[in-house]
Amino acid sequence: MKREPMRAFYIGRFQPYHFGHQGVLEEIARGCDEIIIGVGSAQLSHTFSDPFTAGERILMITRSLKDLDALVYVIPIEDIRRNAVWVSHVMAMTPLFDVAYTSNPYVIRLFKEARFDVKSPPLYQREVYSGSEIRKRMLHNEPWQHLVPEPVVQVIEQIDGVHRLKQVAAGDKTSDLL
Amino acid sequence: MKREPMRAFYIGRFQPYHFGHQGVLEEIARGCDEIIIGVGSAQLSHTFSDPFTAGERILMITRSLKDLDALVYVIPIEDIRRNAVWVSHVMAMTPLFDVAYTSNPYVIRLFKEARFDVKSPPLYQREVYSGSEIRKRMLHNEPWQHLVPEPVVQVIEQIDGVHRLKQVAAGDKTSDLL
Amino acid sequence: MKREPMRAFYIGRFQPYHFGHQGVLEEIARGCDEIIIGVGSAQLSHTFSDPFTAGERILMITRSLKDLDALVYVIPIEDIRRNAVWVSHVMAMTPLFDVAYTSNPYVIRLFKEARFDVKSPPLYQREVYSGSEIRKRMLHNEPWQHLVPEPVVQVIEQIDGVHRLKQVAAGDKTSDLL
Amino acid sequence: MKREPMRAFYIGRFQPYHFGHQGVLEEIARGCDEIIIGVGSAQLSHTFSDPFTAGERILMITRSLKDLDALVYVIPIEDIRRNAVWVSHVMAMTPLFDVAYTSNPYVIRLFKEARFDVKSPPLYQREVYSGSEIRKRMLHNEPWQHLVPEPVVQVIEQIDGVHRLKQVAAGDKTSDLL
Amino acid sequence: MKREPMRAFYIGRFQPYHFGHQGVLEEIARGCDEIIIGVGSAQLSHTFSDPFTAGERILMITRSLKDLDALVYVIPIEDIRRNAVWVSHVMAMTPLFDVAYTSNPYVIRLFKEARFDVKSPPLYQREVYSGSEIRKRMLHNEPWQHLVPEPVVQVIEQIDGVHRLKQVAAGDKTSDLL
Amino acid sequence: MKREPMRAFYIGRFQPYHFGHQGVLEEIARGCDEIIIGVGSAQLSHTFSDPFTAGERILMITRSLKDLDALVYVIPIEDIRRNAVWVSHVMAMTPLFDVAYTSNPYVIRLFKEARFDVKSPPLYQREVYSGSEIRKRMLHNEPWQHLVPEPVVQVIEQIDGVHRLKQVAAGDKTSDLL
């Protein structure tokens, strides 16, 4: 009889997906058969902190991981604004998993109170790879392409993403117009 | 056969409506038959940034524009907290329009991604007319009445608006009480 | 230079996933490179009409399609209760697609008003394969396993799905208790 | 000194706007200076019961009433799904009014519990003019144009409204597809 | 050292609270120190199925149970429209409890999937005591007062509850007016 | 004939409940028969500003007030994000009350616009007792237990509350991980 696959859960906002995420996922893939990647704050887009839609982020991730050994599920998770039910919400949107990977103490706490097995992967060169750093570089016309897998560069170019990020950032600053 | 009227869309929060808005709308009116004025963040009121209800803002606008040549629709638009569907939301709440007028780069971006014709009206003396400036003047007992059309002064007096703005501002600062 | 892949969109509630869906998807796969499968009403579960969670449905679909030639994205789509923005909502949650496949006249209408290319695949033996028929069979202890791919039987057994369906159906009938 | 205008409130779903509504509004106009017309269930559209968007309904009403003596505000009111706060919700979206006109006992009750002056206008030939009757006629290709003002016919033609109504009705009947 | 009190949870809609509920609660009280009573669908009111507000229901229950031995918490629980997170939602709104009492197979299922200890109290003369039966009697001017504790009669009289129920029921039938 | 009890309403977030609240409530209890305590922002928990669930706060309050002379209703009030309907929302969730007690100018304003009798109790040693001060002390391992009633200490220990507060605070600071 076939055993159930060992399944891991990993969550991020992926604004955008970068080599820090990729490094952690390659590490996780060594210890399990299947990985569920939750795309957090899925309903957000078109702001400076969250420029890309869930669909765009799913595309970035799927293409960057196409050679990974583990089977990958990429699943958008909309915010539910009630922390006490957030873990149940995640569980309803995903296949059952055995272990949750996260370095965020807040997410660790929520999973632990729900009695989940939580592991904190070592952050992959966090001083170099960070979504907010990459977004700042885009805003200031500094190089960012070397911080993300090649398919991410392609997706962002295709959707005119850097221009979008700059425009919505400008709107944020003068929001009293609206 | 009668041609369809040329229809323009203009959006703001109008907290409160002021001569800056009025100047832009008078300019827009010269180039179209009908103007749809979207009253943004319609569900908000009773905060320092958004002191007035949608109904109060509709009254300010309608009375201030009663002599405009164009036919005016004043329509509250509630926030939908999902930027990617915001343009569809606006379109569902309004008659079809030919062009959107806005100076906010963020709103420009959303309309352009939805393939709308967007025009940026020159801001009408923005250094003088600004909602946040007017609210600050109300808070600090400085003159603000000369910055808004006369009917706006009347509406704000009738609803005891300056006192409301001061009280909700005070509550904001000590929100830990609630 | 590599051309963009041809991408199709197909949506259903998949309560549960059955050979009717499978037949249509195998047909669609012949005409495109990638298929996005939207799991509709994703937030629903534990009712007679919608017994399975989005995560359980994603598992059924992914396992049943693991040998399909096309690359498959399986994406939960939560209801947004505003038909006029539903297409925008779908587009925000998915990678861009070239054509939408659906036989539901209502979904056809929404996509057509949004100027999408819509195709209606011939229903695959609809008199035999239908979600509501399968759920009725589960309720009345009639055979249903031959109507769904083998992995769907496994998922439903693993989650004790038939028993769940019977219990929530019983609760529906006496809902005045709650 | 100018007195405040006498203002009336009237609410309906206007799916579509018809001579029954028009007759009642002409009667109300005789007794007040301004009328606020609330377009109820504003967020709904594209179903058999609620085929038209708020924007389309606003257009029908505004054009049909352009010769009315009273000043008219046409304001979309989204459902709030909490009856106990519905009157407050209406009041926040509208200028202050002196009297509410409605024949719906349920709406009468809500306004009376909020201590509003409510009047029930005699229904204008209700056996002839009714939204559900008009929608059924559209569905069955029976004449309906004589039951609505001319501008309503124009709006519905322009948006291909009868075809939309038929398609979404067909989708409702086979909703298990989605 | 003091042991933690034994705490039970019981949920209903209580439209209205009646002797069937009272009988079950008196039975539960014999086996525990504290009872949490969840007032379900708390956000609903002013419909025929759910005529009374959460506050009115809390008053009915608190007054009817003032002589119960167990400490009673009466807590409104708003619907969350996502069955898969409903148990977490209840747990966030209530003190921790040891056992859930319910006769609804659907609620039993949700609690069991969340690994709760669930007990089904014998229904107290269900053929006699039932919320929907009591509401029908109110609608048709038949005696209902003997089916509920005396304080419930008082609360319903004070809020003119029977008249409310009749009016909202009438509105439901002619809802196309709105 | 028995007169209706004099009922007061008092609202707070109680993150956590402390002697400042207790002092005010003991004062209010002297002037009325029953007190309704609204637990505000009930849906929030697991953040630094709002660490405790509604259920945990209800437990803190009920146990701390068990010797109070007045009958106490402790009722969670979820945020409704529409200030203009907030008072109606509170009224739907609570038994009718005669007077609202609050020191927050913002809440005073909302109740006054709804024509409620509002009283501002003298804050009980506000420089000493404050929720945000207590949470800061927990974060920095400074003594806080003397600022809250003994049952609050017990509840917080039981739920491992200080550790929770520290972890969610740490997550807030690095939220870009999610």
Side-chain angles (χ1 to χ4, degrees), chain A residues 43-61:
Chain A
Q43 84 286 358
L44 296 185
S45 71
H46 295 84
T47 68
F48 177 64
S49 298
D50 291 274
F52 307 115
T53 70
E56 292 160 356
R57 292 177 269 162
I58 289 169
L59 198 55
M60 295 176 194
I61 297 166

Side-chain angles (χ1 to χ4, degrees), chain C residues 87-105:
Chain C
V87 170
S88 289
H89 172 53
V90 167
M91 290 174 66
M93 290 293 151
T94 60
L96 267 182
F97 47 87
D98 304 282
V99 53
Y101 284 85
T102 178
S103 304
N104 184 323

Side-chain angles (χ1 to χ4, degrees), chain D residues 101-130:
Chain D
Y101 284 85
T102 178
S103 305
N104 184 324
Y106 159 74
V107 177
I108 291 173
R109 182 79 200 181
L110 292 177
F111 272 114
K112 286 224 162 140
E113 290 199 9
R115 311 210 175 168
F116 259 90
D117 185 10
V118 186
K119 289 188 183 159
S120 297
L123 285 173
Y124 187 78
Q125 304 188 39
R126 174 136 179 86
E127 69 291 355
V128 180
Y129 300 115
S130 134

Side-chain angles (χ1 to χ4, degrees), chain D residues 27-54:
Chain D
E27 184 62 33
I28 294 173
R30 276 180 210 113
C32 69
D33 305 298
E34 306 188 351
I35 304 179
I36 299 160
I37 301 177
V39 177
S41 295
Q43 85 286 0
L44 297 184
S45 71
H46 296 84
T47 68
F48 177 63
S49 298
D50 291 274
F52 307 115
T53 69

Side-chain angles (χ1 to χ4, degrees), chain C residues 45-46 78 164 167 178, chain E residues 13 82-83 109 113 132:
Chain C
S45 72
H46 295 84
E78 302 199 7
R164 181 199 291 168
Q167 283 198 299
L178 180 56
Chain E
R13 280 178 29 247
R82 293 173 179 261
N83 285 334
R109 181 80 199 179
E113 290 200 9
S132 69

Side-chain angles (χ1 to χ4, degrees), chain C residues 92-165:
Chain C
M93 290 293 151
T94 60
L96 267 182
F97 47 87
D98 304 282
V99 53
Y101 284 85
T102 178
S103 304
N104 184 323
Y106 159 75
V107 177
I108 291 173
R109 180 81 201 179
L110 292 177
F111 273 113
K112 286 223 161 138
E113 289 200 10
R115 312 210 174 168
F116 259 92
D117 186 11
V118 186
K119 289 189 183 157
S120 297
L123 285 172
Y124 189 78
Q125 304 188 39
R126 172 135 181 89
E127 70 290 354
V128 181
Y129 301 114
S130 135
S132 69
E133 174 63 22
I134 292 169
R135 297 194 302 274
K136 273 183 219 146
R137 284 167 169 267
M138 289 173 171
L139 189 60
H140 300 116
N141 296 317
E142 294 163 12
W144 55 271
Q145 290 86 343
H146 61 294
L147 302 172
V148 304
E150 178 58 22
V152 175
V153 178
Q154 286 166 10
V155 169
I156 290 175
E157 275 175 8
Q158 214 171 22
I159 62 174
D160 189 26
V162 175
H163 197 203
R164 181 199 291 168
L165 181 146

Side-chain angles (χ1 to χ4, degrees), chain A residues 41-115:
Chain A
S41 296
Q43 84 286 358
L44 296 185
S45 71
H46 295 84
T47 68
F48 177 64
S49 298
D50 291 274
F52 307 115
T53 70
E56 292 160 356
R57 292 177 269 162
I58 289 169
L59 198 55
M60 295 176 194
I61 297 166
T62 306
R63 290 195 173 174
S64 301
L65 290 174
K66 71 176 188 306
D67 296 327
L68 203 72
D69 269 348
L71 174 61
V72 171
Y73 304 82
V74 188
I75 298 181
I77 306 284
E78 302 197 9
D79 291 330
I80 198 167
R81 292 162 206 268
R82 292 171 180 264
N83 286 334
V85 309
W86 187 80
V87 170
S88 288
H89 172 53
V90 166
M91 290 174 67
M93 291 293 150
T94 60
L96 268 182
F97 47 87
D98 303 282
V99 54
Y101 284 86
T102 177
S103 305
N104 184 323
Y106 160 75
V107 177
I108 292 172
R109 181 80 200 180
L110 292 177
F111 273 113
K112 286 225 162 137
E113 290 200 8
R115 313 210 173 169

